[in-house]
Amino acid sequence: MSPDPRAPAPRAPGGTTPKIRIRGLKKAFGSNVVLDGVDLEIAPGESLVVIGGSGTGKSVLLKCILGLLTPEAGSIQVDGEETVGLSEREMDRVRRKFGMLFQSAALFDSLPVWENVAFGLIQAKEMKRAEARKLADRRLADVGLEPRVGELYPAELSGGMRKRVGLARAIATSPEIIFFDEPTTGLDPIMGHIIDKLIVKLTSKLGATGLSITHDMASARRISTRMAMLYKGRIVWNGPTAEIDRSGNPYVEQFIHGTDEGPIDIPLQDHFA
Amino acid sequence: MAEPVVPVIQPLGRAFLAFLAVTGRLVMFASQALSHCFRPPFFGRLIVRQMIEIGYYSLPVVGLTAIFTGMVLALQSYTGFARFSAESAIPNVVVVSITRELGPVLASLMVAGRIGAAMAAEIGTMRVTEQIDALVTLATNPFKYLVAPRLIAGVVTLPMLVLVADIIGIFGGYLVSIYKLGFNPDTYIKNTLDFLIFQDVFSGLVKAAVFGFIITLMGCYHGYNSKGGAQGVGQATTNAVVSASILILSFNYIITELFFAR
């Protein structure tokens, strides 16, 4: 049931240059092959969610695109420009198009909240601190936080607030592409819903392209226009969100229903045998 | 025939290869960090912050170390030299030992414990909580933003700290010699100044700059490469202090040899 590697890659809707185009991406850690030939395209303005179980390589895929990990083989193009093999300096130029919301928000705990939000503006865009501060306050308002929160340090915030500050930081530089790593993990369902709404609202406001990874199906349905499923290092299905329930793909069926019977094989030792 | 040798040779070879690998990684880390120390942009604000952290906040512990060392030095030399009626050599012993060796080495070892550990813990925590990845995605090079300011601050601040330690250490020797051993203050100060040689002080400050580099490099390297959560950060902290201390002591010998071996 593994997909034929020579089959034409899943096409993004529309005939324009894809925002991100991935071909034959491979990454292994020692003998552990994590990505085994990923093909994926993301069209400008769409919101793609990559679903898949824990340990299927979703985070590794994201880190390869961001240039935090170097793949063994394959190609990643951003706006038609090949990014695999770019020097660190050139990659920094490409990264200015990106915004990223980390799973645990990854706020800099030595800096107050407003400086976290303004970090990209001050460092990468060389904006004056006073000006960046004003913009940071606006971004905090965008995610529903008062300006006084800007004075606090990340350690003083709750999980939901941290996530919102992380979101404000991810959008502060008005990036063209925003990555979301498990945006709702660790939040209660209501806060998860609020974060999802903010993600949809802010990406469309910026006209940005979104790429998220998650295993939370409720969240995936809310934030995506298209979904792709990653299993054993390959994309096994990819299609519009509206069609997810009639995909006819046994992997997707099993995943969205969360049953333990199906082609997805999770080896467990049976302690009750 | 060869079989009994294998169990002995194999671990030796493995340890040697591991040593080479670590040395290689360290040299690559250091050269990458150094290249960022000389290329703009420079983060002045961060350098000053680290200098305050390394220099100003280490003053109490370094001062205490220095004053007691100077005091003990005077006391111990007196018990030895009195037997040969050579008490007048005490200012000489104090001045030379403090400026050449004890000032730089002891101050740096104290700073290694204080600063090396703190740096490894801070950078290590940033690594395991993805803050370093976040820096990269915000188009900021972590070597430039985290490592270079610390290295620069270490190399600049340690000599200043050691200069202070030298003065306090010599003053400690003075206190004991005057108030306990009954030396004449004027003669003692005159002897101290006579024996105060530029090259001794200078060699101590060169050592301090090298030790400052070693301390901050070890703190950053072990923190940057830490993995595996809280335990990994703890391990990084220990490694940073131990490796910095060993390198300080061995480089102390090398620099002494360069300066004073005839």
Side-chain angles (χ1 to χ4, degrees):
Chain A
M1 189 53 227
S2 75
D4 182 355
R6 286 158 302 177
R11 293 259 353 141
T16 49
T17 313
K19 202 72 188 165
I20 298 177
R21 182 177 186 274
I22 300 167
R23 281 290 176 277
L25 194 69
K26 290 189 181 179
K27 176 73 191 171
F29 297 96
S31 60
N32 177 23
V33 178
V34 180
L35 298 180
D36 191 16
V38 170
D39 294 321
L40 198 62
E41 283 184 7
I42 305 163
E46 76 169 334
S47 172
L48 178 74
V49 172
V50 176
I51 55 172
S54 312
T56 48
K58 303 189 300 291
S59 293
V60 173
L61 174 65
L62 221 53
K63 287 188 173 169
C64 284
I65 302 172
L66 288 161
L68 294 169
L69 290 174
T70 311
E72 267 92 58
S75 134
I76 300 170
Q77 291 180 2
V78 177
D79 287 328
E81 181 189 7
E82 180 63 48
T83 63
V84 176
L86 281 186
S87 73
E88 205 45 37
R89 185 182 294 244
E90 287 171 315
M91 193 62 213
D92 267 347
R93 177 176 50 74
V94 177
R95 286 195 192 105
R96 278 161 220 253
K97 298 179 183 180
F98 298 160
M100 165 91 183
L101 173 59
F102 284 85
Q103 186 174 344
S104 56
L107 303 177
F108 305 124
D109 36 34
S110 60
L111 299 177
V113 163
W114 80 264
E115 254 191 280
N116 264 285
V117 176
F119 195 91
L121 300 168
I122 296 171
Q123 302 302 342
K125 299 214 163 175
E126 291 171 17
M127 193 183 270
K128 292 261 188 317
R129 289 173 68 84
E131 202 182 331
R133 168 90 214 231
K134 274 187 210 145
L135 223 150
D137 283 347
R138 278 216 294 282
R139 291 308 191 196
L140 284 174
D142 282 341
V143 297
L145 294 173
E146 295 168 33
R148 63 164 189 88
V149 175
E151 299 292 340
L152 301 176
Y153 279 83
E156 301 170 87
L157 304 179
S158 70
M161 282 167 98
R162 294 168 73 95
K163 208 75 147 195
R164 281 193 273 175
V165 173
L167 184 57
R169 183 174 72 180
I171 58 165
T173 53
S174 306
E176 298 169 32
I177 306 166
I178 313 178
F179 300 91
F180 303 97
D181 182 359
E182 308 273 2
T184 55
T185 299
L187 301 178
D188 67 76
I190 298 168
M191 184 52 75
H193 204 133
I194 292 171
I195 296 288
D196 286 340
K197 272 191 161 170
L198 282 171
I199 288 174
V200 172
K201 188 182 101 186
L202 294 169
T203 40
S204 75
K205 187 174 155 191
L206 290 171
T209 307
L211 173 59
S212 319
I213 56 176
T214 188
H215 50 240
D216 176 353
M217 277 311 296
S219 161
R221 285 172 198 273
R222 286 193 289 257
I223 61 180
S224 66
T225 55
R226 204 156 62 86
M227 286 198 213
M229 173 143 179
L230 192 63
Y231 178 67
K232 288 206 169 158
R234 290 176 180 217
I235 300 291
V236 292
W237 184 84
N238 147 20
T241 303
E243 291 173 19
I244 187 88
D245 290 313
R246 37 198 159 81
S247 65
N249 182 301
Y251 294 93
V252 177
E253 296 280 315
Q254 187 188 350
F255 190 81
I256 62 177
H257 295 117
T259 58
D260 62 353
E261 281 166 25
I264 300 177
D265 176 38
I266 298 174
L268 285 177
Q269 279 184 358
D270 196 344
H271 295 285
F272 305 104
Chain B
M1 266 295 280
E3 266 160 32
V5 186
V6 171
V8 183
I9 300 289
Q10 216 168 34
L12 274 179
R14 200 172 290 142
F16 182 66
L17 287 180
F19 171 76
L20 287 185
V22 169
T23 312
R25 274 202 293 273
L26 193 56
V27 169
M28 276 169 63
F29 185 91
S31 49
Q32 200 175 348
L34 273 177
S35 78
H36 282 284
C37 290
F38 296 107
R39 274 186 289 152
F42 302 106
F43 291 101
R45 180 189 289 266
L46 295 177
I47 296 174
V48 170
R49 191 150 112 187
Q50 291 299 327
M51 285 177 72
I52 292 170
E53 196 59 49
I54 300 172
Y56 184 72
Y57 290 117
S58 297
L59 277 176
V61 65
V62 166
L64 280 173
T65 311
I67 197 156
F68 284 120
T69 307
M71 286 163 70
V72 164
L73 207 54
L75 210 53
Q76 285 284 26
S77 339
Y78 182 80
T79 55
F81 287 176
R83 277 187 254 168
F84 313 107
S85 309
E87 296 93 332
S88 59
I90 289 179
N92 183 8
V93 170
V94 170
V95 142
V96 171
S97 326
I98 292 279
T99 54
R100 282 191 184 185
E101 294 295 331
L102 296 172
V105 172
L106 291 181
S108 301
L109 287 176
M110 297 310 283
V111 175
R114 228 186 73 82
I115 296 299
M119 278 183 184
E122 186 182 355
I123 296 182
T125 306
M126 291 186 75
R127 164 61 74 198
V128 300
T129 56
E130 292 187 309
Q131 290 180 49
I132 292 185
D133 287 344
L135 266 184
V136 175
T137 61
L138 291 163
T140 304
N141 190 309
F143 275 88
K144 180 144 262 131
Y145 186 80
L146 292 176
V147 181
R150 284 170 169 78
L151 287 182
I152 294 172
V155 171
V156 174
T157 316
L158 252 277
M160 300 188 210
L161 207 52
V162 165
L163 202 59
V164 174
D166 284 352
I167 295 167
I168 295 178
I170 292 170
F171 178 68
Y174 170 87
L175 282 183
V176 167
S177 304
I178 305 306
Y179 295 105
K180 179 139 176 75
L181 306 174
F183 277 72
N184 176 304
D186 297 335
T187 326
Y188 190 93
I189 289 175
K190 187 186 172 297
N191 281 345
T192 299
L193 293 177
D194 282 349
F195 288 122
L196 191 65
I197 298 166
F198 172 75
Q199 203 202 2
D200 290 349
V201 178
F202 181 71
S203 75
L205 297 185
V206 170
K207 282 179 179 180
V210 173
F211 298 163
F213 181 75
I214 290 173
I215 293 166
T216 46
L217 181 71
M218 287 299 120
C220 294
Y221 174 79
H222 288 288
Y224 195 83
N225 291 304
S226 64
K227 33 175 116 39
Q231 197 191 4
V233 175
Q235 188 67 48
T237 311
T238 309
N239 289 345
V241 176
V242 171
S243 58
S245 305
I246 292 170
L247 283 175
I248 285 172
L249 294 173
S250 42
F251 270 82
N252 183 43
Y253 178 81
I254 295 170
I255 301 170
T256 307
E257 175 109 20
L258 288 177
F259 265 96
F260 299 104
R262 299 269 182 261

